[in-house]
Amino acid sequence: MPRPVSSALGAMSLLLTGLSPAFAQSIQQVGVVPDNATPLPVYIGGRVMASDAGWRRQWPGTYFETAFEGNEAWIDIGEGEVMLAVTIDNGDPVQLIKPAAGIYRIGALEDGAHSFKMQVISESQAGATVIGGLYAEKPLPLTDARPVQIEFIGDSHTVGYGNTSPVRECTEEDVWLTTDTSQGPAALIADHYGADYQVNAISGRGIVRNYDGFPGNTLPEAYPYALLNDQTPYQPTGWDPEIVVISLGTNDFSTALKPEERWETRNALQQDFVNTYVSFIEMLHQRYPGASFVLWATDLSNGEIAAMGAAVASAVVSDGEIDISFVPVSGLAMTGCHYHPDTTDARHIADLVIAEIGPLAPEAEDE
């Protein structure tokens, strides 16, 4: 299947995670991209919008991949608060935490061919962020298309909300700094299959009700658009996932109804949830007619969330046209911020979903 490609994408803190200090210290802000550098062809995973400044993005988990020959490269980082993980040649990542807008040079590389991946690991509900471009002296062709595409739809559990935090009690800034979508269940599942993937998830959002009834678009209402706060429809090219993994319902049911909300009873909320969720899946099936669907839900809220997820899968199965299954998840430690799944929990969730999906393509499976 084709991998959509772009030839140009529209005070910094570094967190070392195992790479040599020389490589980490070599990522420095500079004035301009040199004249002898050229825009690199880039594969972009996730939803982006082209703009004069580069590629604007807001849904989590966006990643940028390219390849070049030489001993240095340049990144054009635009506006917006973001945390990026930069990986060269499949090594350990270096994190760029809230880098100021500007051009960044990656040096201290051995002269030769290099692969490059940059992942957005933070959540960006407050506003879109921009990547302006990736550059090097000699571009190399991108790798062949991956054999599998997987789309992930969900809430904070899919985003990886506060999943690297050592404590449960967190400030808003703590949550932002300890959220790492690349260590959440979506990235782990995609890595298992060697898949290209999208993470279309928003913390706090539900199917019909957001956390504690707060106003704002629910996930199905936000889903059609390229950015969270924009009304520009997302129109993908070359995106036709084999699997769609969905986890929603935590925010619909984790808090009590308030008198001013539109559901008079819990039963009314539950029925609205099932009907709307089924309609959402039917819409996705029309968009991706060849995809199989896997729903998963935790046993939180005295089992109500899982029970409602199972009810949705059962309702879809009764129609008989959509390949769908449900995975109940229990036994989570929830030591992340505000009792969210931690990275060990993410591995447990991923393993359960992988077991349900099974093999997709021989060349995409782990050895």
Side-chain angles (χ1 to χ4, degrees):
M1 63 192 66
R3 301 181 81 204
V5 172
S6 169
S7 59
L9 301 174
M12 182 179 68
S13 173
L14 292 178
L15 177 64
L16 309 187
T17 56
L19 275 182
S20 68
F23 172 72
Q25 293 168 6
S26 76
I27 305 180
Q28 300 291 336
Q29 188 169 10
V30 296
V32 296
V33 176
D35 291 339
N36 62 343
T38 186
L40 297 173
V42 176
Y43 172 71
I44 305 172
R47 299 184 177 191
V48 297
M49 279 184 60
S51 70
D52 292 341
W55 293 98
R56 296 174 60 83
R57 42 75 47 201
Q58 197 171 10
W59 293 89
T62 317
Y63 58 95
F64 305 84
E65 296 180 342
T66 188
F68 61 92
E69 187 172 324
N71 58 12
E72 57 186 348
W74 292 265
I75 310 169
D76 181 0
I77 299 175
E79 64 180 5
E81 291 191 346
V82 69
M83 191 185 308
L84 303 168
V86 177
T87 303
I88 301 291
D89 298 333
N90 298 314
D92 293 326
V94 169
Q95 292 182 2
L96 282 63
I97 303 173
K98 295 186 179 181
I103 305 299
Y104 291 81
R105 174 183 176 269
I106 302 174
L109 301 176
E110 292 185 4
D111 201 16
H114 299 283
S115 63
F116 174 99
K117 183 173 185 177
M118 183 168 67
Q119 297 172 275
V120 176
I121 62 175
S122 52
E123 190 167 16
S124 304
Q125 284 200 50
T129 69
V130 177
I131 299 297
L134 301 173
Y135 302 86
E137 292 183 22
K138 184 177 180 180
L140 292 177
L142 297 180
T143 58
D144 293 336
R146 296 190 176 102
V148 175
Q149 293 180 339
I150 305 176
E151 180 166 332
F152 299 90
I153 301 172
D155 51 33
S156 55
H157 292 183
T158 298
V159 171
Y161 177 105
N163 58 348
T164 68
S165 173
V167 296
R168 287 171 169 154
E169 300 305 317
C170 301
T171 65
E172 185 175 331
E173 181 70 1
D174 292 335
V175 172
W176 194 90
L177 288 170
T178 59
T179 293
D180 187 343
T181 304
S182 71
Q183 296 190 59
L188 296 176
I189 294 166
D191 284 349
H192 174 83
Y193 291 106
D196 282 323
Y197 64 99
Q198 290 189 3
V199 182
N200 299 321
I202 314 173
S203 294
R205 309 303 173 92
I207 283 287
V208 295
R209 181 174 184 259
N210 297 329
Y211 179 78
D212 203 28
F214 79 79
N217 287 340
T218 60
L219 197 289
E221 290 170 338
Y223 180 86
Y225 303 108
L227 300 176
L228 306 188
N229 58 352
D230 189 85
Q231 296 300 300
T232 303
Y234 173 63
Q235 298 176 324
T237 300
W239 184 248
D240 188 21
E242 286 82 0
I243 303 290
V244 179
V245 178
I246 313 176
S247 178
L248 289 165
T250 299
N251 296 304
D252 299 84
F253 299 115
S254 59
T255 56
L257 284 171
K258 298 177 179 179
E260 65 270 21
E261 294 188 76
R262 70 175 188 264
W263 305 276
E264 293 185 2
T265 66
R266 198 74 171 182
N267 286 340
L269 170 63
Q270 292 174 349
Q271 190 58 56
D272 191 14
F273 174 86
V274 172
N275 292 342
T276 305
Y277 205 157
V278 169
S279 295
F280 183 51
I281 292 170
E282 289 173 345
M283 180 277 293
L284 292 168
H285 174 63
Q286 291 179 358
R287 177 176 289 200
Y288 311 128
S292 297
F293 292 79
V294 178
L295 312 187
W296 66 268
T298 69
D299 59 354
L300 300 179
S301 299
N302 297 315
E304 183 180 20
I305 298 168
M308 290 297 97
V312 170
S314 179
V316 174
V317 166
S318 67
D319 185 57
E321 294 183 1
I322 302 174
D323 181 18
I324 190 168
S325 58
F326 174 72
V327 178
V329 176
S330 61
L332 302 181
M334 295 289 195
T335 65
C337 283
H338 304 141
Y339 288 81
H340 275 72
D342 56 30
T343 54
T344 300
D345 292 335
R347 179 74 268 172
H348 178 60
I349 294 165
D351 288 345
L352 291 172
V353 173
I354 289 166
E356 179 62 35
I357 294 172
L360 288 177
E363 64 269 33
E365 294 181 56
D366 284 349
E367 295 296 332

